[in-house]
Amino acid sequence: MNIQWFIDARKARGLTQSELADGICTQATLSRFENNGQLPNLKILIKLCNRINLPLSELFPIVGVRYSEVVEKMNKAEFYLITSKYEEAYQLINSIDIETIEDEHVSFRYYYLNGFIMIFRQQPIMDILFTFDQVLLEEETKDSLIFRLLAYTGIGMVYARENDLSKAEFYFNKVLEKIYNYPVQNMEGTWRVLNIVFQCGVFYSTIEELEISDALLNYAVTICSDNHVTYYLARAAIQLAKNAILKKESKDKILELIYDARAYSKVNRNEIALAELIDLEQSVLLDM
């Protein structure tokens, strides 16, 4: 509850505590509310709010329709993120006023999403690191762990983008120490673990640690299969095909991975992945 808004509204109308309380409650009741956060009964609170023309809902900015709309926007933004629709995700996140969010879990989710979207939109490194710091500088709790791991992953990604691979590996290693033991409890948790595992797989391919990369990507495929999630199957298969090319495996093996990725991409209607696969297949066929 934002009691300060109540106090500011009273003072803006030039009323003392005694003047506002007159005929509604005792001045002591109002003082205990404003100074100690002790709520009067709902009837009294409504009358006090009405006298200063303050909607009761303004005291509860994180509940009701307004809060539901924020969560719904984040749900859609997270879905756009995992389906590579970064501009759509950006438009949703950009429409959220972080100052209205008081729930720590929701705030962490906002910063994780914003940080990843900033990476894919090629935003400056310092801005991205500052965004992830909003998660990492808070005390670690059981609920915040997955967002901390996502923040470490994002930092690793941005250092890899800047070709500072030693720093990138430092952060990816921090993630790998904990992600295998993270208890996934719902579908959103599955998406987030997949995001982490996939991005780790991509990084280790970048530094040509292909055995580690393949193990992570195949782990991502297993998670998808066990949880009936298809969104990362295409991306994992594409990266496995790229790894197979680097390892100079047989053309048949590479094409099989490409065709698997194409099938997954069609199911998910992932036009970005399909376009990438056309180029990848053509490059393989030209070498045959």
Side-chain angles (χ1 to χ4, degrees), residues 144-212:
S144 72
L145 175 59
I146 189 63
F147 296 109
R148 296 179 69 85
L149 296 179
L150 285 160
Y152 286 139
T153 301
I155 293 173
M157 290 168 65
V158 78
Y159 276 124
R161 187 191 75 182
E162 301 296 314
N163 206 34
D164 194 338
L165 300 182
S166 61
K167 289 180 182 176
E169 188 170 13
F170 171 82
Y171 284 99
F172 281 114
N173 282 338
K174 288 182 71 70
V175 172
L176 291 179
E177 290 173 1
K178 296 184 177 182
I179 193 59
Y180 278 99
N181 295 320
Y182 181 77
V184 178
Q185 298 177 337
N186 53 41
M187 188 56 66
E188 289 178 351
T190 301
W191 289 354
R192 292 163 191 164
V193 169
L194 278 168
N195 191 358
I196 291 169
V197 173
F198 172 73
Q199 297 298 345
C200 287
V202 171
F203 170 73
Y204 282 100
S205 176
T206 300
I207 63 173
E208 298 187 0
E209 294 280 0
L210 299 178
E211 184 178 0
I212 297 175

Side-chain angles (χ1 to χ4, degrees), residues 4 6 8 19 33 61 64 78 117 121 146 156 164 168 170 189 193 209 217 220 229 232 262:
Q4 189 60 48
F6 180 93
D8 291 344
E19 289 169 337
F33 171 55
E78 190 158 17
I117 292 165
R121 298 185 75 249
I146 189 63
D164 194 338
F170 171 82
V193 169
E209 294 280 0
L217 295 167
V229 177
Y232 275 93
R262 179 184 295 164

Side-chain angles (χ1 to χ4, degrees), residues 218-232:
N218 282 311
Y219 179 44
V221 170
T222 299
I223 294 173
C224 289
S225 300
D226 290 347
N227 293 277
H228 308 290
V229 177
T230 61
Y231 300 113
Y232 275 93

Side-chain angles (χ1 to χ4, degrees), residues 81-135:
L81 179 64
I82 67 173
T83 53
S84 305
K85 296 180 179 179
Y86 305 124
E87 287 304 315
E88 291 89 337
Y90 168 74
Q91 294 299 328
L92 282 169
I93 285 296
N94 197 46
S95 69
I96 296 173
D97 182 3
I98 184 60
E99 299 300 326
T100 66
I101 301 173
E102 295 183 4
D103 185 294
E104 190 175 66
H105 181 88
V106 179
S107 295
F108 287 161
R109 188 183 185 190
Y110 170 87
Y111 287 119
Y112 130 65
L113 289 170
N114 200 23
F116 269 78
I117 292 165
M118 291 170 73
I119 291 172
F120 290 115
R121 298 185 75 249
Q122 302 298 314
Q123 299 298 302
I125 182 173
M126 297 306 296
D127 292 344
I128 298 171
L129 296 180
F130 179 79
T131 298
F132 286 129
D133 276 346
Q134 307 310 303
V135 177

